[in-house]
Each structure stands twice: as C-alpha cells, then as structure tokens.
Amino acid sequence: MREFDYIIVGAGSAGCVLANRLTADGKATVLLLEAGGRDTNPMIHIPIGYATTLKDAKVNWMYETEVDPTSGGRAHVWPRGKVLGGSSSINGLLYVRGQQEDFNQWAQLGCTGWGHADVLPYFRRAEGNERLGADDLHGGDGPLNVSDPRDTHIISDAVIEAGVEAGLPFNNDVNGASQDGISYFQMTVKNGRRWSLAMAYLRPALKRSNLTLEINAQAETVVMEGKRATGVRYFQNGRSIEAKARREVILSGGAVNSPQLLELSGIGDPDVLAAAGIPVVHALKGVGTNLQDHYMVSTQFRLKNCVSVNELSRGWRLVREVLRYATQRRGLLTLSAAHIQAYVRTRPGLSGPDVQYHILPGTMDIDAYTLKGEMSLEKLPGLTIAPCQLRPESRGTIHVRSAAPLDRPSIRPNYLSDPVDQATIVAGLRWARLLASQPALRPWMAEERQPGIGCESDEELLTYAQTSGSTLYHPVGTAQMGRADDPMTVVDPQLRVHGIAGLRVVDASVMPRLVSGNTNAATVMIAEKAAEMILAAA
C-alpha cells in the first residue's frame, strides 16, 4: 500500500489549490485523486466553449435533480466538472467574490476566523488582477488571472447607461468596497484563454516530485480506524486500490461529491445511512443538508438595428469570429457566460444588494436550456436580463441512494420554496423590465419576448419564475462549517469533520451561507485559507 502525508479527493478548484500549496515547500507528499480525466478537451480552454462542456459527459458529471415540486415539477440538469480543474474548467468564467457582509455573517454564525477581514488576505493571495493590480483589496500577481473582457458590445454599453438611468451607480469594482452597481464582469481568462484552477495552480505543482496525481480514480470510501481517517479506497482501471494518509484525508469533491463520500464512508444521518444500507461509523445529522443554490430566471427582449451574439454565432459571421480568435484571441469566442453584471436592492432597508443580474446581448431557447441544459442561441437579435436572488432562504438536500459509489445521489434543491425567495424573484423580474425601459435602450428595443407583456401580476410572474428558471450552478452548504455544539454543522472553523480525526472538507460545501455572487472565487479563497491551516497543524 502506498503512503502519503495527505490525500486530496477531487482535483477541482479547491483540490488544485491544496495540491499546489501543500507541496510548495517540498516537505510533504500528496496524493491527488480525480474521478475524471485530463483537461485536454480544446473546448475547455476556449472561453465560449463552456456552452459545449456543460453537456459533455466526458468532462461533466451531468447530475440531475429529483423532480422539484416548488419549481414547476421539473427535474433540473446540474453540470459539475469531472476533469482536472473541476467546475473551473467548465464554468462561465465569472469572477465575483460576494459582499463583505457575507463573510461577516459566517463569523456571526460561529465560523471564527472567517469574517471579511480574516478572508481578504486569501482572496488577495490568489488573485492576479490585470486591471486593478495589487492594492488593499486586490492581488496583482496571484496565480488566478482576472481580466476584463477584450471586447465590449454596443448593446452592453447601452445596458450600462440604462442602469445608471435607472438609479444604479457605475461600479467598475464590485469586488471592492461596495457591490452595488452595474459594470462589465471580470473573468478568469488569461491571454484570451480560460484560466482554470488546473492551469493556475495544478500545472505548476505537477512538476514537483512530492505530488502524485491519479486520474480516472473514483473514490469509494474513506478508510477509518475507529474515529480516525487513515486513507482512501478508490476504483481505477478495474480494481479497488487503497492508499494511506499519514496525516490527513481532505475531501474536495464539491457540494455534491463531498457529502456523498462522507455518507458512503458511514458518516452522516443514521436514518439516511440505514435507508441506503450503510453501517454507521459516526452519526452527523448535518451531512447533505443545508443545500443552497442560486436560481436564475431569464427575461428576454427582441432587439432591432443591431447584431447580437445570436447572429454572430452562425454563418459567415461565425467563420469571421473563429478567425478573429485564432489570430487575435478576440471576439465572440472570448465571451463568458454573461457580459454585464448588476447588483440591485429590491426593497428599502437592505444592507446590500439582494439580486444579481447576468446580462448578455443574446438569447437562448429557454425550453432547451431549462429542461435539457442545452445552450441553443436564437436566430434573431436578442437581449437577456436574468435575475437571481443572492441570498436564498430555501434549503435542499443531497443524500446517497445506496452504498454503491457510482450510484448518483438524490438531489432535492427545493427552489423558491420560501416566501421570501418568491417575493424577491418577482421583484427582480420587475426591475429587469425597468432596466429595459430606460431611454438608453429604446433605440434597440423591439419587444419583450419572455415572460411577455401579458404576464403582469405577482402571481403570474411567480408562475413564470417557477416554470422557466434554472440553476446558476452554485450549489453550496452541504457540509456546513460551524460550532461543534450545533448538531447540523459538519466541520469546525478549521474545516475538520466533527468527531473524526484526520479528516477535513475543503470546498464550497463548507459554506454555511451562500455568497452574494458566483461561487468560484470564494471556493479558491477557502482552499487558500485551509492550506495555511493544514500546514500550521503539521
């Protein structure tokens, strides 16, 4: 049996950071296990390639939720990365940290050392911001490259002007002192190519002799000796293999796979484990609970007098855009999942924005997207203004169905099940219409396509949200961090699993509350902070 100081399960965003930081001084040996393969698919590295990788089972777990009664009785497609870099290799490339208040709330919930002042150094350590450089809030030379879009668009420029007309400030640094406002998104792109965590952290680390990477290695269980994790058993090339961890086992599979592996290892709610036929090793009721996700609903408008992303993506225009990318690393192929971001307070008295908008000068077939997860652009020019509630109150669960590691877990998101979420998304849809009605956009507006002018009452707008919304790919919280005396928390502020020695969880599943924005930047921060804590405990 091979032995290592640390075993990391999952070479996604957090796992890549850990693999780099834990091997940097050359003192510790690390085994990194990845269920997927190498990131050689060219669609991973072309920014707009996410539109294809979101439906590619070769790099994607392609999870599907249970039928969700609170969002139109539909099952939702949940893409999660199954490749080096994990979801950072297939996501929409958007860099958003969240509000400072998010992390201060974590600290108030008992996560000592996770307030904004505590986590800011780790955001800065990771970030290499091309435009902002190094200052009190940003990093200029970190491994994770952050850049502005290489190309703007006449409609996107008009949307920003319309946002200011609607009362929003122009905010060219939503990751700075305040999130309120409207601007172009920054992206994890370098020289026109996706800068995944595999590119930023893992590739440099793989040059070190003290890091061992095993791909196509499906973790089956954490090996236990009493109440101590001593290794991992994984399946590779037709056989089960066991590796031993002298110091720690670290789960970095994300909000789906980490709670799944805990339960497969006999750590979780005894009732859930009994139903799956798994003997209880350690009772921990919170495993797989507290699931939170951003739920996005699109409003769509038909445009006139312009060429949108829709037309650029077909025919001779697409040929031209491919050539632009090949020769200049510019144009359509450098596009992220959205062009413009806006952060809005939908009612008085809020301490910060409660709705985020993803805005793109293009429109997709909503049915194909919400029912199948397919990104199929329409033919005629269009504009999408898509709100999501930043801090949803609805909670779901992720639990194993059986003791078989390859059985897909049961995912129950319970979108819009809380009345606060329902009221907020309706307000978000109304503000999208307000933005679209501003003078700056009038020369380009032809008609509202979705939800349509006949959808006006709160009840009608809520029904539209329930039947047409979808995941924004931000599941968190299923191994939440908190105090040991809280029976529903899973890890302590050091990210150690309660009651189990030598076992940590380091990924988005430990977030006690969802951050106010896209989750990848915060996941990288968590891993940076965890690496320092792990090394300090060695």
Side-chain angles (χ1 to χ4, degrees), residues 231-253:
V232 174
R233 189 173 73 242
Y234 61 97
F235 186 80
Q236 185 187 52
N237 298 328
R239 64 192 182 104
S240 286
I241 303 169
E242 189 172 316
K244 184 173 182 179
R246 287 184 287 263
R247 296 180 186 173
E248 295 188 24
V249 174
I250 306 164
L251 307 189
S252 295

Side-chain angles (χ1 to χ4, degrees), residues 3-247:
E3 293 189 7
F4 302 85
D5 291 311
Y6 302 101
I7 300 176
I8 303 167
V9 182
S13 296
C16 288
V17 174
L18 291 171
N20 184 300
R21 297 308 192 190
L22 296 183
T23 59
D25 63 7
K27 297 179 180 179
T29 57
V30 173
L31 171 63
L32 177 62
L33 300 175
E34 170 53 43
R38 297 190 181 276
D39 56 339
T40 54
N41 184 332
M43 289 297 102
I44 288 174
H45 303 287
I46 299 171
I48 206 169
Y50 71 88
T52 62
T53 56
L54 285 176
K55 286 289 290 182
D56 186 350
K58 294 179 180 178
V59 298
N60 190 333
W61 284 99
M62 294 295 298
Y63 288 119
E64 188 170 301
T65 73
E66 304 293 332
V67 169
D68 188 25
T70 58
S71 58
R74 297 172 291 140
H76 297 267
V77 176
W78 267 30
R80 308 306 302 158
K82 188 181 181 182
V83 64
L84 295 183
S87 293
S88 78
S89 290
I90 68 169
N91 68 9
L93 305 101
L94 305 177
Y95 183 81
V96 180
R97 294 180 181 175
Q99 297 171 33
Q100 297 182 14
E101 291 83 356
D102 296 336
F103 308 103
N104 292 334
Q105 185 188 35
W106 290 7
Q108 291 169 356
L109 291 170
C111 302
T112 305
W114 291 87
H116 182 257
D118 303 307
V119 303
L120 178 59
Y122 303 99
F123 277 118
R124 294 181 66 246
R125 177 181 299 175
E127 182 183 9
N129 198 300
E130 290 184 6
R131 172 168 54 85
L132 297 171
D135 60 22
D136 291 344
L137 295 174
H138 293 281
D141 58 0
L144 186 59
N145 203 77
V146 178
S147 62
D148 291 336
R150 289 194 160 195
D151 294 281
T152 59
H153 191 281
I154 189 171
I155 298 300
S156 297
D157 292 341
V159 166
I160 292 178
E161 186 179 349
V164 174
E165 291 172 341
L168 288 182
F170 174 71
N171 184 354
N172 216 18
D173 183 13
V174 300
N175 298 308
S178 171
Q179 192 183 51
D180 295 84
I182 189 167
S183 66
Y184 279 91
F185 274 104
Q186 286 201 298
M187 308 178 296
T188 48
V189 170
K190 186 172 184 177
N191 299 326
R193 291 169 57 86
R194 175 191 293 273
W195 203 242
S196 69
L197 273 299
M199 296 291 291
Y201 283 83
L202 183 57
R203 289 202 177 186
L206 286 173
K207 299 175 183 177
R208 302 168 187 158
S209 61
N210 56 330
L211 174 61
T212 300
L213 169 67
E214 296 290 351
I215 59 172
N216 302 312
Q218 172 69 54
E220 297 180 315
T221 189
V222 176
V223 178
M224 305 289 295
E225 291 183 6
K227 297 285 186 175
R228 180 174 185 84
T230 59
V232 174
R233 189 173 73 242
Y234 61 97
F235 186 80
Q236 185 187 52
N237 298 328
R239 64 192 182 104
S240 286
I241 303 169
E242 189 172 316
K244 184 173 182 179
R246 287 184 287 263
R247 296 180 186 173

Side-chain angles (χ1 to χ4, degrees), residues 24 122 130 134 156 167 214 228 299 324 333 348 450 466 481 495:
Y122 303 99
E130 290 184 6
S156 297
E214 296 290 351
R228 180 174 185 84
T299 64
R324 285 189 71 198
L333 275 65
Q450 298 282 354
Q466 291 169 327
M481 170 176 34
L495 307 187

